Each structure stands twice: as C-alpha cells, then as structure tokens.
Amino acid sequence: MAVKIRLKRLGKIRSPHYRIVVMDSRTKRDGRAIEEIGLYQPKNDPSVIKIDSERAQYWLGVGAQPTEAVVTILKRSGDWQKFTGETSESGIAPQPEKADKVARFNAALAEADDAPASGAISTGKKKAAESDAAAAADEA
C-alpha cells in the first residue's frame, strides 16, 4: 500500500482550511485518513501551521511520501530539515494575540467620562423583568 502525507480540504468555498493527513494514495482527496497529523489554515495572516512533529517524523521514517505542498509546509515547521538533515532555515510566524474586548470597552468607557450614551450590553426582556423584580424585593 502506497501511503501519502497530503492535505485534506475543509471549510467554505473561498475559505479553505486543510488538515495534514496520512492516507492511502488511492483514496479520495477528502476521504478517510489513516491519521491526522496537523492543520494548515492559509487564509489567516500569518498562516496557521500546527504539526505533530513526532508523528510526522514517524510517518516519514516508515516511508510515507509527502506531496509538494506538504513538503513546503514541513520545511516551514522544520520537520523536513530534521528528517533529511538539511540546514536550510525554518520558522513559522507566531499568531498575533487576540485583543481583549472587555479591556477595550473599559478603556473607551473611561475616555467617555463613564457616561455611556446607551447601554453597551443589552439584557433580554425576561432578564430585565427579573432584575426589576429582584430590585423591588430588595427595597421591600
């Protein structure tokens, strides 16, 4: 059985996400995989690449053949250099940290002199009625 390491496509029409999988070369592109060893999300800036290095080294060691696209991804993660002994550069750009929305809201509220023009967080009618009932019970 010829085993390949290749990309399995997921996602919407113009928003592809890929899983790096080990599968028989005769199966469909999105068919059943033997094992999933990583992720590749090219639309993020910078691209997200996560590979289980130990499993990738195992499958390369037992003779699984990576496709050209997977070789490029493995070179960026450094796994290809470990396998072949090359000394070329590798490196994946780190993902930027997500902004803390609550902190940004509090900063904007402080700039507006703690006087919001409208409620920032709306509560549903049920919760508003419950809070009014609780406030009335506290007053009594």
Side-chain angles (χ1 to χ4, degrees), residues 51-62:
I51 297 178
D52 184 357
S53 182
E54 184 179 315
R55 297 307 296 164
Q57 294 299 321
Y58 168 78
W59 282 108
L60 289 169
V62 295

Side-chain angles (χ1 to χ4, degrees), residues 110-131:
E111 289 176 13
D113 299 325
D114 293 328
S118 63
I121 301 172
S122 61
T123 57
K125 291 180 183 177
K126 255 187 180 177
K127 288 191 178 184
E130 290 174 2
S131 63

Side-chain angles (χ1 to χ4, degrees), residues 18-87:
Y18 298 95
R19 289 188 184 156
I20 301 168
V21 296
V22 178
M23 56 178 28
D24 182 12
S25 63
R26 297 168 289 186
T27 59
K28 298 177 186 177
R29 177 191 72 182
D30 299 335
R32 185 166 179 240
I34 297 170
E35 183 178 359
E36 295 178 1
I37 61 171
L39 296 173
Y40 174 53
Q41 298 175 354
K43 289 291 188 172
N44 292 12
D45 188 30
S47 299
V48 174
I49 298 174
K50 295 180 184 174
I51 297 178
D52 184 357
S53 182
E54 184 179 315
R55 297 307 296 164
Q57 294 299 321
Y58 168 78
W59 282 108
L60 289 169
V62 295
Q65 295 296 311
T67 61
E68 290 179 20
V70 172
V71 168
T72 305
I73 293 169
L74 290 174
K75 282 182 180 178
R76 286 188 60 194
S77 70
D79 292 317
W80 188 251
Q81 287 85 337
K82 285 182 196 174
F83 176 67
T84 60
E86 291 180 9
T87 58

